[in-house]
Amino acid sequence: MIRPIALRNLAATPTRQVAVVIDENLEALETLTPVQGEVTVTHRGDFLEVEGTAQTIVTLQCDRCLRGFNYRLEANFDEIIWLDHEAEIMKGEQEIAIMNLEEHLNADGELDLLDLVYQHLCLEVPMRKLCEADCPGILPVEKKSEKVDDRWSALSKLREDLS
Ligand SMILES: [Zn+2]
């Protein structure tokens, strides 16, 4: 299990950087294979630089034919997470949240890597889920055991009689 990264501890390391290999089943996301990837987090004082990749296979339901199909989710991300120091939070957290849509974390808090990976994978789920680009939709069930037309059997009988 990958534990959240304590940001104070990361800031105290010589490189201020940590690379984490991920090979996990996420609780929040049902996948056929474990989520695999790698995330590198660098502490830059006022912000975190986070880059990484993650991939897994999920089962989606086709919007047209309603069949389940396997889909490869792949996320490549590179983002900045701003760190709020105690004094700034006092100013009014709500204001910051409304004015700035970018991610913020408490500088004394933790970065939950698995949650971050989960969010990036969710963004990759297609809006329109199709099992194939040209999925024909729900097809009427074909009748396999079609009877031989009676007229044809009558005709072959007639042929036999003539010869
Ligand atoms: Zn389909």
Side-chain angles (χ1 to χ4, degrees):
M1 195 63 195
I2 292 170
R3 302 176 58 85
I5 297 171
L7 301 180
R8 284 281 165 221
N9 294 351
L10 178 60
T13 61
T15 59
R16 306 186 121 211
Q17 188 177 71
V18 63
V20 181
V21 173
I22 293 164
D23 188 359
E24 300 272 327
N25 286 302
L26 301 187
E27 245 172 76
L29 187 68
E30 206 178 305
T31 57
L32 291 178
T33 56
V35 174
Q36 294 185 316
E38 189 170 353
V39 182
T40 304
V41 182
T42 312
H43 198 299
R44 302 269 187 219
D46 283 338
F47 62 91
L48 298 176
E49 213 178 291
V50 183
E51 62 172 324
T53 59
Q55 56 184 39
T56 187
I57 294 173
V58 290
T59 302
L60 301 178
Q61 190 186 43
C62 178
D63 288 339
R64 275 195 209 151
C65 69
L66 306 181
R67 262 196 314 157
F69 65 100
N70 294 345
Y71 185 86
R72 184 184 190 81
L73 276 185
E74 200 169 348
N76 291 297
F77 48 91
D78 188 353
E79 68 175 325
I80 299 283
I81 300 175
W82 293 96
L83 298 178
D84 293 327
H85 298 277
E86 216 61 59
E88 294 170 52
I89 295 171
M90 301 293 280
K91 266 194 271 171
E93 218 171 331
Q94 283 185 332
E95 223 172 296
I96 295 170
I98 293 166
M99 289 176 61
N100 200 335
L101 293 172
E102 287 173 67
E103 283 233 50
H104 280 254
L105 275 183
N106 185 335
D108 293 316
E110 296 178 325
L111 174 65
D112 186 341
L113 273 191
L114 292 182
D115 184 58
L116 182 125
V117 163
Y118 165 71
Q119 289 184 27
H120 280 286
L121 286 174
C122 285
L123 290 176
E124 299 300 320
V125 174
M127 296 282 280
R128 202 148 177 239
K129 305 177 198 68
L130 293 179
C131 61
E132 299 168 42
D134 57 350
C135 169
I138 299 169
L139 294 173
V141 181
E142 268 180 71
K143 291 195 190 96
K144 287 261 165 66
S145 57
E146 253 177 276
K147 275 196 216 155
V148 178
D149 196 311
D150 285 341
R151 287 167 297 178
W152 290 111
S153 55
L155 188 65
S156 53
K157 176 116 196 346
L158 181 66
R159 252 189 217 147
E160 273 170 42
D161 292 347
L162 287 173
S163 58

Short mmCIF file of all heavy atoms in Angstrom, two decimals, residues 29-94:
data_model
loop_
_atom_site.label_atom_id
_atom_site.label_comp_id
_atom_site.label_asym_id
_atom_site.label_seq_id
_atom_site.Cartn_x
_atom_site.Cartn_y
_atom_site.Cartn_z
N LEU A 29 -11.81 2.65 -7.72
CA LEU A 29 -11.96 2.39 -9.14
C LEU A 29 -11.86 0.89 -9.41
O LEU A 29 -10.86 0.26 -9.09
CB LEU A 29 -10.85 3.13 -9.91
CG LEU A 29 -10.91 3.13 -11.43
CD1 LEU A 29 -12.11 3.93 -11.93
CD2 LEU A 29 -9.63 3.71 -12.00
N GLU A 30 -12.92 0.37 -9.98
CA GLU A 30 -12.92 -1.06 -10.28
C GLU A 30 -12.17 -1.30 -11.59
O GLU A 30 -12.58 -0.81 -12.63
CB GLU A 30 -14.36 -1.55 -10.40
CG GLU A 30 -14.49 -3.02 -10.08
CD GLU A 30 -15.94 -3.48 -10.15
OE1 GLU A 30 -16.78 -2.87 -9.46
OE2 GLU A 30 -16.20 -4.41 -10.91
N THR A 31 -11.09 -2.05 -11.51
CA THR A 31 -10.27 -2.27 -12.70
C THR A 31 -9.99 -3.75 -12.87
O THR A 31 -10.04 -4.52 -11.91
CB THR A 31 -8.93 -1.52 -12.59
OG1 THR A 31 -8.26 -1.94 -11.40
CG2 THR A 31 -9.14 -0.02 -12.54
N LEU A 32 -9.69 -4.15 -14.10
CA LEU A 32 -9.39 -5.55 -14.37
C LEU A 32 -7.96 -5.90 -14.02
O LEU A 32 -7.63 -7.03 -13.72
CB LEU A 32 -9.64 -5.85 -15.85
CG LEU A 32 -11.08 -5.83 -16.32
CD1 LEU A 32 -11.16 -6.09 -17.80
CD2 LEU A 32 -11.89 -6.87 -15.56
N THR A 33 -7.11 -4.90 -14.12
CA THR A 33 -5.69 -5.10 -13.80
C THR A 33 -5.31 -4.04 -12.77
O THR A 33 -5.94 -2.99 -12.70
CB THR A 33 -4.82 -4.91 -15.06
OG1 THR A 33 -5.09 -3.61 -15.60
CG2 THR A 33 -5.13 -5.95 -16.11
N PRO A 34 -4.29 -4.30 -11.98
CA PRO A 34 -3.86 -3.26 -11.04
C PRO A 34 -3.45 -2.00 -11.80
O PRO A 34 -3.03 -2.08 -12.94
CB PRO A 34 -2.64 -3.88 -10.35
CG PRO A 34 -2.75 -5.35 -10.60
CD PRO A 34 -3.47 -5.51 -11.89
N VAL A 35 -3.59 -0.89 -11.15
CA VAL A 35 -3.15 0.37 -11.75
C VAL A 35 -1.62 0.40 -11.66
O VAL A 35 -1.05 0.22 -10.59
CB VAL A 35 -3.74 1.58 -10.99
CG1 VAL A 35 -3.15 2.89 -11.52
CG2 VAL A 35 -5.26 1.58 -11.13
N GLN A 36 -1.00 0.58 -12.82
CA GLN A 36 0.46 0.60 -12.85
C GLN A 36 0.94 1.94 -13.35
O GLN A 36 0.35 2.53 -14.24
CB GLN A 36 0.97 -0.50 -13.78
CG GLN A 36 0.64 -1.89 -13.23
CD GLN A 36 1.23 -2.98 -14.06
OE1 GLN A 36 1.16 -2.94 -15.28
NE2 GLN A 36 1.81 -3.97 -13.40
N GLY A 37 2.02 2.38 -12.78
CA GLY A 37 2.56 3.65 -13.23
C GLY A 37 3.68 4.12 -12.34
O GLY A 37 4.21 3.36 -11.51
N GLU A 38 4.03 5.36 -12.53
CA GLU A 38 5.10 5.94 -11.74
C GLU A 38 4.82 7.43 -11.59
O GLU A 38 4.41 8.08 -12.55
CB GLU A 38 6.45 5.71 -12.43
CG GLU A 38 7.59 6.11 -11.54
CD GLU A 38 8.96 5.70 -12.08
OE1 GLU A 38 9.02 4.98 -13.08
OE2 GLU A 38 9.95 6.14 -11.47
N VAL A 39 5.02 7.92 -10.39
CA VAL A 39 4.78 9.34 -10.13
C VAL A 39 6.01 9.93 -9.45
O VAL A 39 6.56 9.34 -8.53
CB VAL A 39 3.54 9.55 -9.23
CG1 VAL A 39 3.28 11.03 -9.02
CG2 VAL A 39 2.31 8.87 -9.82
N THR A 40 6.43 11.07 -9.96
CA THR A 40 7.55 11.77 -9.35
C THR A 40 7.04 13.08 -8.76
O THR A 40 6.36 13.85 -9.44
CB THR A 40 8.64 12.07 -10.40
OG1 THR A 40 9.03 10.84 -11.00
CG2 THR A 40 9.86 12.72 -9.76
N VAL A 41 7.35 13.30 -7.51
CA VAL A 41 6.92 14.53 -6.83
C VAL A 41 8.16 15.31 -6.41
O VAL A 41 9.06 14.77 -5.77
CB VAL A 41 6.08 14.20 -5.57
CG1 VAL A 41 5.59 15.48 -4.91
CG2 VAL A 41 4.91 13.30 -5.93
N THR A 42 8.20 16.58 -6.80
CA THR A 42 9.31 17.43 -6.41
C THR A 42 8.79 18.61 -5.60
O THR A 42 7.84 19.28 -6.03
CB THR A 42 10.04 17.96 -7.67
OG1 THR A 42 10.28 16.86 -8.56
CG2 THR A 42 11.37 18.60 -7.30
N HIS A 43 9.40 18.83 -4.47
CA HIS A 43 8.99 19.93 -3.60
C HIS A 43 9.77 21.18 -3.97
O HIS A 43 10.99 21.19 -3.92
CB HIS A 43 9.27 19.54 -2.14
CG HIS A 43 8.53 20.37 -1.15
ND1 HIS A 43 8.68 21.72 -1.04
CD2 HIS A 43 7.61 20.02 -0.22
CE1 HIS A 43 7.90 22.16 -0.08
NE2 HIS A 43 7.22 21.15 0.43
N ARG A 44 9.05 22.22 -4.40
CA ARG A 44 9.72 23.44 -4.83
C ARG A 44 9.45 24.61 -3.88
O ARG A 44 9.38 25.76 -4.30
CB ARG A 44 9.22 23.84 -6.22
CG ARG A 44 9.44 22.79 -7.28
CD ARG A 44 10.75 22.97 -7.98
NE ARG A 44 10.86 22.05 -9.11
CZ ARG A 44 11.99 21.43 -9.43
NH1 ARG A 44 13.09 21.62 -8.74
NH2 ARG A 44 12.03 20.62 -10.47
N GLY A 45 9.22 24.30 -2.65
CA GLY A 45 9.01 25.38 -1.68
C GLY A 45 7.56 25.82 -1.63
O GLY A 45 6.82 25.43 -0.74
N ASP A 46 7.17 26.61 -2.63
CA ASP A 46 5.79 27.10 -2.65
C ASP A 46 4.83 26.20 -3.40
O ASP A 46 3.64 26.41 -3.37
CB ASP A 46 5.74 28.50 -3.29
CG ASP A 46 6.24 29.55 -2.32
OD1 ASP A 46 6.21 29.29 -1.10
OD2 ASP A 46 6.65 30.64 -2.77
N PHE A 47 5.40 25.27 -4.11
CA PHE A 47 4.51 24.36 -4.85
C PHE A 47 5.17 23.00 -5.04
O PHE A 47 6.37 22.84 -4.84
CB PHE A 47 4.13 24.96 -6.21
CG PHE A 47 5.28 25.22 -7.15
CD1 PHE A 47 5.68 24.23 -8.05
CD2 PHE A 47 5.96 26.43 -7.14
CE1 PHE A 47 6.74 24.46 -8.93
CE2 PHE A 47 7.02 26.67 -8.01
CZ PHE A 47 7.40 25.68 -8.91
N LEU A 48 4.33 22.06 -5.43
CA LEU A 48 4.82 20.72 -5.76
C LEU A 48 4.73 20.56 -7.27
O LEU A 48 3.78 21.02 -7.89
CB LEU A 48 3.93 19.64 -5.14
CG LEU A 48 3.82 19.55 -3.63
CD1 LEU A 48 2.82 18.45 -3.29
CD2 LEU A 48 5.16 19.26 -3.00
N GLU A 49 5.71 19.92 -7.81
CA GLU A 49 5.66 19.58 -9.21
C GLU A 49 5.40 18.08 -9.25
O GLU A 49 6.16 17.31 -8.67
CB GLU A 49 7.02 19.89 -9.83
CG GLU A 49 6.98 20.34 -11.24
CD GLU A 49 8.38 20.66 -11.72
OE1 GLU A 49 8.95 21.66 -11.24
OE2 GLU A 49 8.90 19.89 -12.54
N VAL A 50 4.33 17.71 -9.90
CA VAL A 50 3.96 16.29 -9.92
C VAL A 50 3.87 15.83 -11.36
O VAL A 50 3.16 16.43 -12.17
CB VAL A 50 2.58 16.06 -9.26
CG1 VAL A 50 2.25 14.58 -9.22
CG2 VAL A 50 2.57 16.65 -7.85
N GLU A 51 4.62 14.82 -11.68
CA GLU A 51 4.46 14.27 -13.03
C GLU A 51 4.45 12.76 -12.96
O GLU A 51 5.06 12.16 -12.08
CB GLU A 51 5.54 14.78 -13.98
CG GLU A 51 6.94 14.40 -13.59
CD GLU A 51 7.93 14.77 -14.69
OE1 GLU A 51 7.56 14.66 -15.88
OE2 GLU A 51 9.04 15.16 -14.35
N GLY A 52 3.72 12.18 -13.88
CA GLY A 52 3.66 10.74 -13.83
C GLY A 52 2.80 10.14 -14.91
O GLY A 52 2.24 10.83 -15.77
N THR A 53 2.73 8.82 -14.86
CA THR A 53 1.89 8.07 -15.79
C THR A 53 1.17 7.01 -14.97
O THR A 53 1.66 6.57 -13.94
CB THR A 53 2.73 7.35 -16.86
OG1 THR A 53 3.62 6.45 -16.19
CG2 THR A 53 3.53 8.32 -17.70
N ALA A 54 0.03 6.63 -15.48
CA ALA A 54 -0.70 5.54 -14.83
C ALA A 54 -1.57 4.88 -15.89
O ALA A 54 -2.06 5.55 -16.81
CB ALA A 54 -1.58 6.08 -13.71
N GLN A 55 -1.68 3.60 -15.79
CA GLN A 55 -2.54 2.90 -16.74
C GLN A 55 -3.19 1.68 -16.11
O GLN A 55 -2.66 1.10 -15.17
CB GLN A 55 -1.74 2.49 -17.98
CG GLN A 55 -0.52 1.64 -17.67
CD GLN A 55 0.25 1.36 -18.94
OE1 GLN A 55 0.39 2.21 -19.78
NE2 GLN A 55 0.76 0.15 -19.05
N THR A 56 -4.33 1.35 -16.66
CA THR A 56 -5.06 0.19 -16.18
C THR A 56 -6.12 -0.17 -17.23
O THR A 56 -6.25 0.52 -18.24
CB THR A 56 -5.72 0.47 -14.82
OG1 THR A 56 -6.29 -0.74 -14.32
CG2 THR A 56 -6.82 1.52 -14.93
N ILE A 57 -6.82 -1.26 -16.98
CA ILE A 57 -7.90 -1.64 -17.89
C ILE A 57 -9.20 -1.70 -17.10
O ILE A 57 -9.25 -2.30 -16.03
CB ILE A 57 -7.60 -2.99 -18.58
CG1 ILE A 57 -6.38 -2.82 -19.49
CG2 ILE A 57 -8.80 -3.49 -19.38
CD1 ILE A 57 -5.86 -4.10 -20.08
N VAL A 58 -10.21 -1.06 -17.63
CA VAL A 58 -11.51 -1.04 -16.97
C VAL A 58 -12.56 -1.62 -17.91
O VAL A 58 -12.35 -1.71 -19.11
CB VAL A 58 -11.95 0.39 -16.59
CG1 VAL A 58 -11.09 0.94 -15.46
CG2 VAL A 58 -11.91 1.32 -17.78
N THR A 59 -13.66 -2.02 -17.33
CA THR A 59 -14.79 -2.47 -18.15
C THR A 59 -15.81 -1.34 -18.20
O THR A 59 -16.25 -0.86 -17.16
CB THR A 59 -15.43 -3.73 -17.54
OG1 THR A 59 -14.43 -4.74 -17.45
CG2 THR A 59 -16.55 -4.24 -18.43
N LEU A 60 -16.12 -0.92 -19.41
CA LEU A 60 -17.12 0.12 -19.60
C LEU A 60 -18.32 -0.48 -20.28
O LEU A 60 -18.24 -1.55 -20.88
CB LEU A 60 -16.55 1.25 -20.48
CG LEU A 60 -15.29 1.96 -19.99
CD1 LEU A 60 -14.86 2.99 -21.02
CD2 LEU A 60 -15.54 2.63 -18.66
N GLN A 61 -19.44 0.25 -20.22
CA GLN A 61 -20.62 -0.22 -20.93
C GLN A 61 -20.84 0.68 -22.14
O GLN A 61 -20.85 1.90 -22.03
CB GLN A 61 -21.84 -0.18 -20.01
CG GLN A 61 -23.03 -0.88 -20.63
CD GLN A 61 -24.27 -0.73 -19.79
OE1 GLN A 61 -24.57 0.33 -19.28
NE2 GLN A 61 -25.01 -1.81 -19.65
N CYS A 62 -21.02 0.04 -23.28
CA CYS A 62 -21.20 0.78 -24.52
C CYS A 62 -22.50 1.58 -24.47
O CYS A 62 -23.55 1.05 -24.11
CB CYS A 62 -21.22 -0.19 -25.70
SG CYS A 62 -21.50 0.60 -27.29
N ASP A 63 -22.42 2.85 -24.86
CA ASP A 63 -23.60 3.72 -24.84
C ASP A 63 -24.64 3.29 -25.88
O ASP A 63 -25.82 3.58 -25.75
CB ASP A 63 -23.20 5.17 -25.14
CG ASP A 63 -22.46 5.78 -23.95
OD1 ASP A 63 -22.60 5.26 -22.84
OD2 ASP A 63 -21.74 6.77 -24.16
N ARG A 64 -24.18 2.63 -26.93
CA ARG A 64 -25.11 2.26 -28.01
C ARG A 64 -25.70 0.86 -27.86
O ARG A 64 -26.90 0.69 -27.97
CB ARG A 64 -24.40 2.35 -29.36
CG ARG A 64 -24.43 3.74 -29.93
CD ARG A 64 -24.05 3.71 -31.39
NE ARG A 64 -23.43 4.97 -31.76
CZ ARG A 64 -22.53 5.11 -32.72
NH1 ARG A 64 -22.13 4.05 -33.40
NH2 ARG A 64 -22.02 6.28 -32.99
N CYS A 65 -24.81 -0.13 -27.66
CA CYS A 65 -25.34 -1.50 -27.65
C CYS A 65 -25.43 -2.06 -26.23
O CYS A 65 -25.89 -3.18 -26.04
CB CYS A 65 -24.48 -2.40 -28.53
SG CYS A 65 -22.84 -2.70 -27.88
N LEU A 66 -24.96 -1.27 -25.25
CA LEU A 66 -25.05 -1.64 -23.84
C LEU A 66 -24.18 -2.84 -23.45
O LEU A 66 -24.26 -3.35 -22.34
CB LEU A 66 -26.52 -1.92 -23.43
CG LEU A 66 -27.51 -0.81 -23.73
CD1 LEU A 66 -28.91 -1.21 -23.26
CD2 LEU A 66 -27.11 0.50 -23.05
N ARG A 67 -23.34 -3.27 -24.39
CA ARG A 67 -22.44 -4.37 -24.08
C ARG A 67 -21.30 -3.85 -23.22
O ARG A 67 -20.89 -2.70 -23.34
CB ARG A 67 -21.83 -4.92 -25.37
CG ARG A 67 -22.53 -6.15 -25.91
CD ARG A 67 -21.67 -6.85 -26.91
NE ARG A 67 -21.06 -5.95 -27.89
CZ ARG A 67 -19.96 -6.23 -28.58
NH1 ARG A 67 -19.35 -7.38 -28.38
NH2 ARG A 67 -19.47 -5.38 -29.44
N GLY A 68 -20.76 -4.74 -22.37
CA GLY A 68 -19.57 -4.36 -21.62
C GLY A 68 -18.35 -4.56 -22.50
O GLY A 68 -18.32 -5.49 -23.30
N PHE A 69 -17.39 -3.69 -22.40
CA PHE A 69 -16.15 -3.88 -23.17
C PHE A 69 -14.97 -3.35 -22.36
O PHE A 69 -15.13 -2.51 -21.49
CB PHE A 69 -16.24 -3.18 -24.53
CG PHE A 69 -16.36 -1.68 -24.45
CD1 PHE A 69 -15.25 -0.87 -24.66
CD2 PHE A 69 -17.57 -1.08 -24.17
CE1 PHE A 69 -15.35 0.51 -24.60
CE2 PHE A 69 -17.68 0.31 -24.09
CZ PHE A 69 -16.58 1.10 -24.31
N ASN A 70 -13.82 -3.92 -22.66
CA ASN A 70 -12.62 -3.52 -21.92
C ASN A 70 -11.98 -2.31 -22.56
O ASN A 70 -11.92 -2.19 -23.78
CB ASN A 70 -11.61 -4.68 -21.90
CG ASN A 70 -12.14 -5.85 -21.09
OD1 ASN A 70 -13.11 -5.70 -20.34
ND2 ASN A 70 -11.53 -7.00 -21.25
N TYR A 71 -11.53 -1.43 -21.72
CA TYR A 71 -10.97 -0.18 -22.23
C TYR A 71 -9.70 0.13 -21.45
O TYR A 71 -9.66 0.02 -20.23
CB TYR A 71 -12.01 0.93 -22.04
CG TYR A 71 -11.61 2.25 -22.63
CD1 TYR A 71 -11.87 2.53 -23.97
CD2 TYR A 71 -10.97 3.22 -21.85
CE1 TYR A 71 -11.50 3.75 -24.51
CE2 TYR A 71 -10.60 4.43 -22.39
CZ TYR A 71 -10.87 4.69 -23.73
OH TYR A 71 -10.50 5.90 -24.26
N ARG A 72 -8.70 0.52 -22.20
CA ARG A 72 -7.43 0.85 -21.56
C ARG A 72 -7.42 2.33 -21.17
O ARG A 72 -7.53 3.20 -22.02
CB ARG A 72 -6.31 0.57 -22.55
CG ARG A 72 -4.94 0.77 -21.99
CD ARG A 72 -3.93 0.55 -23.10
NE ARG A 72 -2.61 0.49 -22.53
CZ ARG A 72 -2.10 -0.58 -21.96
NH1 ARG A 72 -2.79 -1.69 -21.93
NH2 ARG A 72 -0.89 -0.55 -21.44
N LEU A 73 -7.30 2.56 -19.89
CA LEU A 73 -7.21 3.95 -19.39
C LEU A 73 -5.74 4.27 -19.22
O LEU A 73 -5.00 3.52 -18.59
CB LEU A 73 -7.87 4.06 -18.03
CG LEU A 73 -9.36 4.26 -17.91
CD1 LEU A 73 -9.72 4.46 -16.45
CD2 LEU A 73 -9.84 5.41 -18.75
N GLU A 74 -5.36 5.38 -19.78
CA GLU A 74 -3.97 5.77 -19.66
C GLU A 74 -3.90 7.26 -19.38
O GLU A 74 -4.48 8.06 -20.09
CB GLU A 74 -3.26 5.45 -20.98
CG GLU A 74 -1.78 5.36 -20.82
CD GLU A 74 -1.11 4.79 -22.06
OE1 GLU A 74 -1.80 4.25 -22.95
OE2 GLU A 74 0.13 4.90 -22.13
N ALA A 75 -3.20 7.61 -18.33
CA ALA A 75 -3.08 9.03 -17.97
C ALA A 75 -1.61 9.42 -17.93
O ALA A 75 -0.78 8.70 -17.38
CB ALA A 75 -3.73 9.28 -16.61
N ASN A 76 -1.33 10.54 -18.55
CA ASN A 76 0.00 11.14 -18.45
C ASN A 76 -0.23 12.52 -17.89
O ASN A 76 -0.99 13.29 -18.46
CB ASN A 76 0.65 11.27 -19.83
CG ASN A 76 0.99 9.91 -20.39
OD1 ASN A 76 1.80 9.19 -19.82
ND2 ASN A 76 0.35 9.54 -21.47
N PHE A 77 0.39 12.83 -16.81
CA PHE A 77 0.11 14.14 -16.23
C PHE A 77 1.38 14.83 -15.75
O PHE A 77 2.41 14.22 -15.52
CB PHE A 77 -0.92 14.02 -15.10
CG PHE A 77 -0.61 12.92 -14.12
CD1 PHE A 77 0.15 13.15 -13.00
CD2 PHE A 77 -1.10 11.65 -14.35
CE1 PHE A 77 0.43 12.13 -12.10
CE2 PHE A 77 -0.82 10.61 -13.46
CZ PHE A 77 -0.05 10.87 -12.34
N ASP A 78 1.23 16.11 -15.64
CA ASP A 78 2.33 16.98 -15.28
C ASP A 78 1.65 18.21 -14.70
O ASP A 78 1.05 18.98 -15.43
CB ASP A 78 3.11 17.33 -16.55
CG ASP A 78 4.40 18.07 -16.24
OD1 ASP A 78 4.62 18.41 -15.07
OD2 ASP A 78 5.16 18.31 -17.19
N GLU A 79 1.69 18.34 -13.39
CA GLU A 79 0.92 19.44 -12.82
C GLU A 79 1.62 20.09 -11.64
O GLU A 79 2.56 19.54 -11.08
CB GLU A 79 -0.48 18.96 -12.39
CG GLU A 79 -0.45 17.99 -11.22
CD GLU A 79 -1.84 17.63 -10.73
OE1 GLU A 79 -2.73 18.49 -10.76
OE2 GLU A 79 -2.02 16.48 -10.33
N ILE A 80 1.12 21.25 -11.32
CA ILE A 80 1.64 22.03 -10.21
C ILE A 80 0.56 22.05 -9.12
O ILE A 80 -0.60 22.29 -9.42
CB ILE A 80 1.88 23.50 -10.67
CG1 ILE A 80 2.90 23.56 -11.79
CG2 ILE A 80 2.24 24.40 -9.50
CD1 ILE A 80 4.31 23.40 -11.36
N ILE A 81 0.96 21.77 -7.92
CA ILE A 81 0.02 21.89 -6.80
C ILE A 81 0.59 22.93 -5.84
O ILE A 81 1.68 22.76 -5.30
CB ILE A 81 -0.16 20.54 -6.06
CG1 ILE A 81 -0.71 19.47 -7.03
CG2 ILE A 81 -1.10 20.71 -4.87
CD1 ILE A 81 -0.81 18.09 -6.44
N TRP A 82 -0.14 24.00 -5.69
CA TRP A 82 0.33 25.09 -4.82
C TRP A 82 0.22 24.70 -3.36
O TRP A 82 -0.70 24.01 -2.96
CB TRP A 82 -0.47 26.36 -5.10
CG TRP A 82 -0.17 26.88 -6.47
CD1 TRP A 82 -0.88 26.65 -7.60
CD2 TRP A 82 0.98 27.64 -6.85
NE1 TRP A 82 -0.25 27.23 -8.67
CE2 TRP A 82 0.88 27.86 -8.25
CE3 TRP A 82 2.06 28.16 -6.16
CZ2 TRP A 82 1.84 28.57 -8.96
CZ3 TRP A 82 3.02 28.89 -6.87
CH2 TRP A 82 2.90 29.08 -8.26
N LEU A 83 1.17 25.17 -2.61
CA LEU A 83 1.17 24.88 -1.18
C LEU A 83 0.77 26.13 -0.41
O LEU A 83 1.33 27.20 -0.62
CB LEU A 83 2.56 24.41 -0.74
CG LEU A 83 3.04 23.12 -1.40
CD1 LEU A 83 4.44 22.78 -0.95
CD2 LEU A 83 2.09 21.97 -1.09
N ASP A 84 -0.21 25.95 0.44
CA ASP A 84 -0.66 27.06 1.28
C ASP A 84 0.03 26.95 2.62
O ASP A 84 -0.01 25.91 3.25
CB ASP A 84 -2.19 26.99 1.48
CG ASP A 84 -2.92 27.22 0.18
OD1 ASP A 84 -2.41 28.01 -0.64
OD2 ASP A 84 -3.99 26.62 -0.01
N HIS A 85 0.62 28.04 3.03
CA HIS A 85 1.22 28.04 4.36
C HIS A 85 0.17 28.57 5.34
O HIS A 85 -0.78 29.25 4.94
CB HIS A 85 2.49 28.88 4.36
CG HIS A 85 3.53 28.30 3.44
ND1 HIS A 85 4.37 27.29 3.81
CD2 HIS A 85 3.81 28.55 2.13
CE1 HIS A 85 5.14 26.95 2.78
NE2 HIS A 85 4.81 27.69 1.75
N GLU A 86 0.36 28.22 6.57
CA GLU A 86 -0.65 28.49 7.60
C GLU A 86 -1.27 29.88 7.51
O GLU A 86 -2.48 30.02 7.50
CB GLU A 86 0.00 28.30 8.98
CG GLU A 86 -0.93 27.70 10.01
CD GLU A 86 -1.42 26.31 9.62
OE1 GLU A 86 -0.58 25.40 9.42
OE2 GLU A 86 -2.64 26.14 9.49
N ALA A 87 -0.45 30.91 7.39
CA ALA A 87 -0.95 32.29 7.41
C ALA A 87 -1.95 32.55 6.27
O ALA A 87 -2.95 33.21 6.46
CB ALA A 87 0.22 33.25 7.30
N GLU A 88 -1.66 31.98 5.12
CA GLU A 88 -2.53 32.21 3.97
C GLU A 88 -3.90 31.56 4.16
O GLU A 88 -4.91 32.09 3.72
CB GLU A 88 -1.90 31.64 2.69
CG GLU A 88 -0.64 32.38 2.29
CD GLU A 88 0.07 31.63 1.18
OE1 GLU A 88 -0.59 31.32 0.19
OE2 GLU A 88 1.26 31.34 1.35
N ILE A 89 -3.90 30.43 4.81
CA ILE A 89 -5.16 29.73 5.03
C ILE A 89 -6.07 30.58 5.91
O ILE A 89 -7.26 30.65 5.72
CB ILE A 89 -4.91 28.34 5.66
CG1 ILE A 89 -4.14 27.49 4.66
CG2 ILE A 89 -6.22 27.67 6.03
CD1 ILE A 89 -3.63 26.18 5.20
N MET A 90 -5.46 31.29 6.87
CA MET A 90 -6.22 32.16 7.75
C MET A 90 -6.99 33.22 6.96
O MET A 90 -8.06 33.64 7.34
CB MET A 90 -5.28 32.87 8.75
CG MET A 90 -4.48 31.92 9.62
SD MET A 90 -5.50 30.99 10.78
CE MET A 90 -5.69 32.25 12.05
N LYS A 91 -6.43 33.63 5.87
CA LYS A 91 -7.04 34.70 5.07
C LYS A 91 -8.43 34.32 4.55
O LYS A 91 -9.21 35.16 4.19
CB LYS A 91 -6.16 35.04 3.86
CG LYS A 91 -5.21 36.20 4.14
CD LYS A 91 -4.62 36.72 2.84
CE LYS A 91 -3.35 36.01 2.47
NZ LYS A 91 -2.87 36.32 1.14
N GLY A 92 -8.68 33.08 4.51
CA GLY A 92 -10.00 32.66 4.03
C GLY A 92 -9.85 31.63 2.93
O GLY A 92 -9.58 31.96 1.79
N GLU A 93 -10.01 30.42 3.29
CA GLU A 93 -9.79 29.31 2.38
C GLU A 93 -10.79 29.35 1.22
O GLU A 93 -10.45 29.05 0.10
CB GLU A 93 -9.95 28.01 3.16
CG GLU A 93 -8.98 26.95 2.74
CD GLU A 93 -9.03 25.75 3.67
OE1 GLU A 93 -9.35 25.94 4.86
OE2 GLU A 93 -8.78 24.66 3.20
N GLN A 94 -12.02 29.72 1.55
CA GLN A 94 -13.08 29.70 0.53
C GLN A 94 -12.76 30.64 -0.63
O GLN A 94 -12.96 30.29 -1.78
CB GLN A 94 -14.40 30.13 1.16
CG GLN A 94 -15.02 29.01 1.97
CD GLN A 94 -16.37 29.38 2.51
OE1 GLN A 94 -16.65 30.56 2.73
NE2 GLN A 94 -17.22 28.41 2.71
#
